[in-house]
Each structure stands twice: as C-alpha cells, then as structure tokens.
Amino acid sequence: MYRGDFALGTLMRFLPIVTQIFLWWAIFDTIGGAEPGNAAVAGYSFHNVVAYYLLSMVSRAFSSMPGLASGIALQIRNGEVKKYLVQPVDLLGFLLLTRVAHKLAYYSVAALPFALVFFLCQRFFVGPWPDGLQWTCFVLALLLSFLLGFFLEACIGLLGFWFLEVSSLLFVYMLFNFFLSGHMFPLDMVPQPWHAIVDLLPLKYLAYYPAAVLLGKVPRDHLVGGLLSQCVWVVVFIVLARVMFRRGVRRYAGYGG
Amino acid sequence: MRMSRSYLQVLLTFARNSFVRDTMFRTNFVLECVSSVSWTLMNVGFYLIVFHYTPLIGPESGWGKHQFFVFLGTTWLINSLVQTFFMTNADDYSELIRTGNLDFALLKPIDTQFLVSFQKVDWSALSNFFAGLILLAVSLGHLCTRPEHPLVITPWAVALYVVYVLCGVAILYSLMIALASTSIWLGRNQTLYDFWFYITNFARYPMEIYNRGWGVPLWVLFTFVVPVLVVVNVPARILAQPLYPERSLGWPLAAFALAATVASLAASRWVFQRALRSYRSASS
C-alpha cells in the first residue's frame, strides 16, 4: 500500500553510509591515498571499507529483528502469552514463522532500492569476483544470521518472565550489538587483545561475518569452520530459548496471571 | 518588560514541573541517564579505533585525536541541549496536530510557538551535556599541555565558544520545529525522528571531509541551504584550533554562522506561522 514510501525509507537508510564514506575517504587521504591498492587499515582499502558497509547492510537486513524482544516481553506482561498455552500453537514457532513471512515481504520491496544502491556503488567492489564456495558460504551465513538474530532476541524477550521490564536490558544488548556485530566498522580493525574477545562472541555473525566472507576477508580454509561455529551458536540459542520458555511458563503459571 | 518577565516565569514553571515528573521514577531516570551516556561512550570507542590507524582526519585538516575529541564533545553539548529542551516538544507537537489537541494550545493567551517549544524539559538528556564537558576538559587538557605549540585558551575564545554553541542549538531548533510544523500539511509525521537523525548525521563530522569528489555539492547544501554543518564546526574550531584560521574559511565562516542562525530562526518562525494558518484541527 505504501510501497513508494517504503522504498524511499529503505534508500534513506543508506544515508548514514554517505557520511561514513567521506569520513573514511578523509582518513585514507591522510594515510596514503584512497586507491584500491592501499590496504592500510587492517587489510582494508578505502574501496573495501565502503563495500563492507554496503554488505553489512545486507546482513543487517537478515539479522535485525525490530520489536521482537519487546513484543515478547509485552505479551508476557499483559498476559497475552496465555493464548499460546491453551492453543496448540507454539509461541516461538509462531513468532518465527511470522518473522519469516515479514522478512520475505520486506525483501520483495527492499530488493529494488538495494539493487539500485549496489549498482551505483559497483566501483567500490574491487578484487576478484567471489567464487562458488564464497557465495554458498555467504548465503548460508545470511540464513544462519537470521536464525541467530531471532533466537538471541527471543531469549532477551523471554527474560520478561523474570523481570517485568526488559527495555533497559534490551538497550544494553542493542548497544553491544551495534558496536560488536560490526555494524559500525569492520571488526578486523579492533586492536588486540580486544579483537580476540570480539572474535569469540556470537554477535559478529549478525553483521560482520557474512560481509567478510563475500569480501574475501575470511581465509578460505576457515570458511567452513566459521559456518560450523555459527551453527553451534544458533543451536545454543535455540536450546536456551526453549529452556527459558519452559521454565518461564512454569513460573508464570505458578504465580498467577 | 512585564511581558518578557511573565514568559520567563512560565518557562521556569515548565522546567520545574518536568523535573518533578522526571525524578518521580528515580531508578528509571538514572537508567535513562546511564544509557544515553553509554551510547556516546561507544562513539569514543569508535574514534579511538580510527585514531589507532590515522594521526589525522583528512590531511592538513588539523583534526588530530585530541582536537577531534574537542569536536566530539561539542557535538554532545549541542545535541544534548537540543534533546533536553526541544526534542520531546517537537515530537509532542506533531502528535498535538494529529490528534487535534493543538486547539487547546491555540486558545491559551501566550505565543503558540513558545508554548509548544518549551512545554517539557527532558532532564535526563542533560547527562550527555556533562559527558561532553568531561570529554572537552580532558582533551583540552591534553592540547594545552602538549610539548610543542601548547594551546592557549583565551577568555575571548571561551565566550565565543559559548555564543556559537548557543547558535548551533538555535539552528537545530529551527530545523526541528520547522520539520515538526510540516506535519500540519502531511498529516502524521512518523519519520520526524528519522529525518532528524539523517540530517544531523551530516553535522557530526568536520566539514573538511566533504572537501573531495562529490562531497562539494553536499558541503554547499549543508552549509548554505540547510546550515547544519556550521552548527558544530564553528564552535569546535574556535576552541580546538584557533591558530589555523587560514586552513578553513575562518572568520568569514564564523560571521556566516551568525547570519545563518538569524536566518534559520526567522525562517522557522515563518514556516511555523504559515503552517498554523493551514491548521484545520482534527475532526472527531
């Protein structure tokens, strides 16, 4: 219905990248030029940095779950969660399917603005065209990042069984997410020893990892291993969400509502 | 004279009421302060990483690490002042228009723009003001004690800095209230915050970074048409690198900033009143 408005909104989301481009342009001008050959910042050239920002927008389109955690917490608080206890519908499964449908609808409309931006910015994608293995790992990493984002945020929402108000917790999560997922800058730039810590966290899979795979910043022999550890994180958060839901429902039923 | 006294009294009452309301839920108030400060701290983290790789932002721009942190501190000061005094009000104003409750504001025997602009004060947003002051103090300390060319801060510079920070707040306020007024024509103005974020996004960096490639038209647009680039750049430069006025546009730019402030305020007043004339209230 509001397709035009929506497409415009998606385009607007790329605007912050414009200022980031100029910021990095100025930085690279300072340290020896913005030519594609000058990979001066943690192995990234100016073109790589811009391509990275664009690709991380794609990862974010998969992994971000606006309103999921706060929605779950709200349903717990106002008792709407009872609906799922009496009906033969599973809360997490239901929400997951809703998200899938929502995301599919989103991509069908957002694909055009995304394609336009990537077309306009194609000169920033330098270096060899990614091969089959990279493309496969990229697509898989994106799908897994959707699942990871969903279950991670569902866990935070399910904390609502224990704390009535999760908005401040959610804020802390968003803060860490923004910084440590690689939304703000390529995580390779984090200096040691911090880099080792950031590398261990699951948040990097939400934005950094898929983009890095396609840009060839992940060594080839680490590609499969990286995907496997992403799978492990997804499983961990699926199990955690299930356990939390079961425990939470018991607690919820025990105390009233 | 009596007129302006009574306006001042109304303003103080607004401020006091908001303070009472804000501190009613004390834990919430503290949490809000903490969270807004942590966002800004994250920014420091980002720029620490940036300056891990480069000595300056832009060759010959003079924006080294500590100079840039003066810039960043100034950004926080201005943004927090705008958020404290105007952000909630502009948002409420769009809502008043949508619901038709603006009728009640129009009936009051006080200037409508004054009433809708100052009604609420979001005191928790002021926490970033103090964070900005601390950052300013630390980075100016570094600049004043460095071995070569230590920075000397004259009382003049401080006075000018305060004036230009206030000018920056005035420019941003004008922009915000003009944007909020457009919801009279557009109906619901959901994207006000978004729009606001995107525009001020351009103001958060030294203007020298736009001085390349297709940045020049952007620089012209955001300096002369929507003057958000002078908001932070002018005061930050006055304080952080007064020695190099020749490297940027220097005093002509500072003079332009004053003119831009006056023009923005006048333009926003005009837009506000123009919009009010088209206001037809919301039918029930």
Side-chain angles (χ1 to χ4, degrees):
Chain A
M1 203 160 138
Y2 303 107
R3 223 169 296 167
D5 184 53
F6 184 83
L8 201 69
T10 312
L11 271 183
M12 294 269 281
R13 260 184 233 179
F14 285 99
L15 270 185
I17 293 189
V18 172
T19 47
Q20 289 284 358
I21 289 178
F22 282 109
L23 178 68
W24 285 104
W25 199 341
I27 291 169
F28 274 94
D29 267 350
T30 317
I31 54 175
E35 298 82 40
N38 179 24
V41 178
Y44 282 73
S45 69
F46 170 59
H47 288 69
N48 285 155
V49 173
V50 177
Y52 175 84
Y53 278 117
L54 292 171
L55 284 173
S56 73
M57 288 289 288
V58 178
S59 330
R60 295 280 305 161
F62 276 82
S63 67
S64 74
M65 302 284 152
L68 177 66
S70 50
I72 294 178
L74 183 70
Q75 289 198 333
I76 293 172
R77 199 170 19 168
N78 66 16
E80 225 181 287
V81 77
K82 281 198 287 280
K83 195 166 74 183
Y84 300 96
L85 302 182
V86 292
Q87 288 172 358
V89 182
D90 170 54
L91 171 76
L92 289 172
F94 177 75
L95 286 176
L96 182 65
L97 289 179
T98 320
R99 277 290 151 170
V100 171
H102 180 92
K103 286 279 175 192
L104 284 179
Y106 172 75
Y107 301 139
S108 69
V109 188
L112 214 64
F114 264 90
L116 178 70
V117 170
F118 274 84
F119 175 74
L120 289 177
C121 299
Q122 53 181 332
R123 68 190 182 88
F124 291 111
F125 292 88
V126 289
W129 184 255
D131 58 17
L133 179 67
Q134 272 173 300
W135 277 109
T136 322
C137 289
F138 173 66
V139 172
L140 285 176
L142 281 183
L143 294 176
L144 285 171
S145 80
F146 167 77
L147 289 175
L148 187 63
F150 178 84
F151 283 103
L152 227 168
E153 221 170 273
C155 285
I156 293 170
L158 288 171
L159 280 175
F161 278 119
W162 287 270
F163 311 98
L164 274 182
E165 189 51 59
V166 295
S167 61
S168 49
L169 260 168
L170 192 63
F171 189 86
V172 174
Y173 164 74
M174 271 164 48
L175 202 70
F176 280 104
N177 189 343
F178 192 62
F179 202 67
L180 301 177
S181 72
H183 188 43
M184 218 170 168
F185 54 87
L187 290 178
D188 305 280
M189 292 181 186
V190 180
Q192 292 291 3
W194 304 105
H195 186 262
I197 302 169
V198 172
D199 205 39
L200 282 176
L201 294 175
L203 290 175
K204 69 169 180 176
Y205 292 108
L206 296 179
Y208 162 77
Y209 191 73
V213 166
L214 204 62
L215 282 176
K217 297 294 171 193
V218 181
R220 286 191 75 82
D221 45 338
H222 289 167
L223 278 176
V224 178
L227 273 186
L228 280 180
S229 47
Q230 193 177 0
C231 284
V232 172
W233 278 114
V234 172
V235 172
V236 165
F237 281 103
I238 290 178
V239 172
L240 188 64
R242 285 279 157 215
V243 171
M244 281 176 75
F245 184 62
R246 192 165 313 160
R247 291 261 172 105
V249 166
R250 209 178 300 154
R251 192 186 148 87
Y252 182 76
Y255 286 99
Chain B
M1 197 59 218
R2 254 186 55 213
M3 191 73 168
S4 60
R5 253 230 328 267
S6 56
Y7 270 81
L8 189 68
Q9 263 169 3
V10 172
L11 186 64
L12 289 177
T13 315
F14 285 156
R16 208 190 41 209
N17 285 350
S18 310
F19 190 71
V20 170
R21 198 167 34 215
D22 272 3
T23 45
M24 207 141 58
F25 306 98
R26 220 161 290 170
T27 325
N28 189 50
F29 183 73
V30 172
L31 273 179
E32 263 171 36
C33 291
V34 170
S35 53
S36 58
V37 170
S38 33
W39 262 123
T40 37
L41 282 183
M42 200 132 280
N43 255 303
V44 173
F46 173 64
Y47 288 110
L48 281 177
I49 289 176
V50 164
F51 283 109
H52 184 79
Y53 293 100
T54 177
L56 288 171
I57 290 188
E60 310 251 320
S61 67
W63 293 114
K65 186 170 169 180
H66 298 301
Q67 286 93 339
F68 184 76
F69 280 147
V70 171
F71 186 96
L72 199 61
T74 311
T75 315
W76 295 357
L77 291 187
I78 293 173
N79 275 350
S80 70
L81 284 176
V82 172
Q83 273 168 17
T84 306
F85 293 103
F86 303 119
M87 191 76 135
T88 9
N89 291 314
D91 200 39
D92 284 352
Y93 179 46
S94 305
E95 195 59 19
L96 284 180
I97 293 166
R98 195 182 65 85
T99 53
N101 280 334
L102 188 61
D103 299 2
F104 300 104
L106 289 171
L107 286 174
K108 301 230 164 72
I110 192 167
D111 183 74
T112 310
Q113 186 172 359
F114 176 83
L115 181 67
V116 298
S117 306
F118 291 102
Q119 208 158 25
K120 274 186 201 157
V121 180
D122 177 10
W123 288 104
S124 67
L126 214 55
S127 52
N128 268 338
F129 185 83
F130 296 106
L133 282 184
I134 292 171
L135 186 66
L136 266 186
V138 171
S139 35
L140 283 177
H142 276 287
L143 287 174
C144 291
T145 54
R146 66 184 166 183
E148 73 263 18
H149 306 304
L151 184 72
V152 183
I153 300 173
T154 58
W156 259 111
V158 176
L160 275 178
Y161 180 76
V162 173
V163 169
Y164 277 107
V165 163
L166 293 178
C167 282
V169 173
I171 291 176
L172 290 183
Y173 159 74
S174 315
L175 189 65
M176 186 175 253
I177 203 77
L179 272 177
S181 303
T182 56
S183 44
I184 284 186
W185 293 301
L186 302 176
R188 181 140 178 77
N189 200 345
Q190 220 172 8
T191 47
L192 178 72
Y193 270 101
D194 290 352
F195 209 75
W196 172 249
F197 172 76
Y198 293 132
I199 289 198
T200 51
N201 193 30
F202 282 93
R204 290 201 320 229
Y205 304 96
M207 53 166 64
E208 285 84 357
I209 68 167
Y210 300 107
N211 192 16
R212 40 180 60 76
W214 42 280
V216 179
L218 279 179
W219 179 79
V220 171
L221 174 68
F222 287 112
T223 306
F224 297 110
V225 185
V226 187
V228 289
L229 269 180
V230 300
V231 166
V232 186
N233 271 281
V234 174
R237 183 163 279 276
I238 286 173
L239 206 55
Q241 21 181 339
L243 288 172
Y244 318 109
E246 71 278 7
R247 278 194 186 158
S248 74
L249 293 175
W251 290 112
L253 187 71
F256 170 74
L258 280 183
T261 311
V262 176
S264 314
L265 282 175
S268 73
R269 178 80 184 166
W270 183 78
V271 171
F272 186 87
Q273 289 186 328
R274 209 41 222 278
L276 268 194
R277 237 183 290 158
S278 317
Y279 176 66
R280 290 184 204 296
S281 188
S283 59
S284 44

